[in-house]
Amino acid sequence: MNSPKPKTIQTMKPETAAKKLGVLLSATPAEFQAGVVSRDELNELQSTPPAWLADLRRNGPHPKQVVAAKLGVSISGLIRGGITEPLTTAEIDALKAENPEWLERERSIQAETRNEALRLKQR
């Protein structure tokens, strides 16, 4: 008879966990950066985020994929617009209010890309 194998705990690097949480690793607490995160710990962080995580999600600094989503552009569009560093929510809001030419252009490119993808999907 085969005895059941003990269940192994699935873990991930802090970089992976930060990406899944949508936060910048360098802005997380030192103990988060230093350890490994189990799947259960990640689920717990997502379902009931501690104060530091809620604050990071609310105020930033945000990683490029979050900045791009908040601005409605692609990551490539951010780079073309000269945005290469993480931004805070206040900086993102200021950019939206300023609405520079590059941001308008990149938003229209993103909208065209979405429309084309939708058109192809409906075929």
Side-chain angles (χ1 to χ4, degrees):
M1 295 239 141
N2 290 347
S3 60
K5 292 183 180 180
K7 187 174 179 181
T8 58
I9 297 173
Q10 187 180 19
T11 60
M12 62 193 82
K13 295 178 183 177
E15 296 88 0
T16 305
K19 190 171 186 176
K20 288 181 181 287
L21 292 169
V23 297
L24 195 63
L25 178 63
S26 60
T28 62
E31 59 270 9
F32 181 85
Q33 294 179 34
V36 294
V37 180
S38 72
R39 174 61 63 186
D40 291 338
E41 290 169 332
L42 179 69
N43 291 340
E44 181 69 22
L45 287 169
Q46 288 174 324
S47 63
T48 54
W52 64 264
L53 180 55
D55 185 54
L56 272 179
R57 285 178 167 168
R58 185 175 37 259
N59 302 318
H62 301 289
K64 62 186 169 196
Q65 65 269 22
V66 174
V67 173
K70 286 181 179 272
L71 290 173
V73 299
S74 66
I75 293 173
S76 298
L78 276 182
I79 294 168
R80 285 190 295 269
I83 307 294
T84 57
E85 298 297 318
L87 298 179
T88 64
T89 300
E91 292 168 326
I92 293 169
D93 291 343
L95 253 178
K96 284 179 177 178
E98 182 185 322
N99 201 20
E101 184 182 321
W102 73 265
L103 183 55
E104 282 186 43
R105 184 177 59 250
E106 291 301 333
R107 281 180 170 167
S108 68
I109 291 170
Q110 187 74 355
E112 288 172 21
T113 302
R114 271 191 239 110
N115 289 339
E116 180 64 12
L118 183 63
R119 185 186 70 78
L120 292 173
K121 188 177 181 181
Q122 291 175 344
R123 284 182 138 186

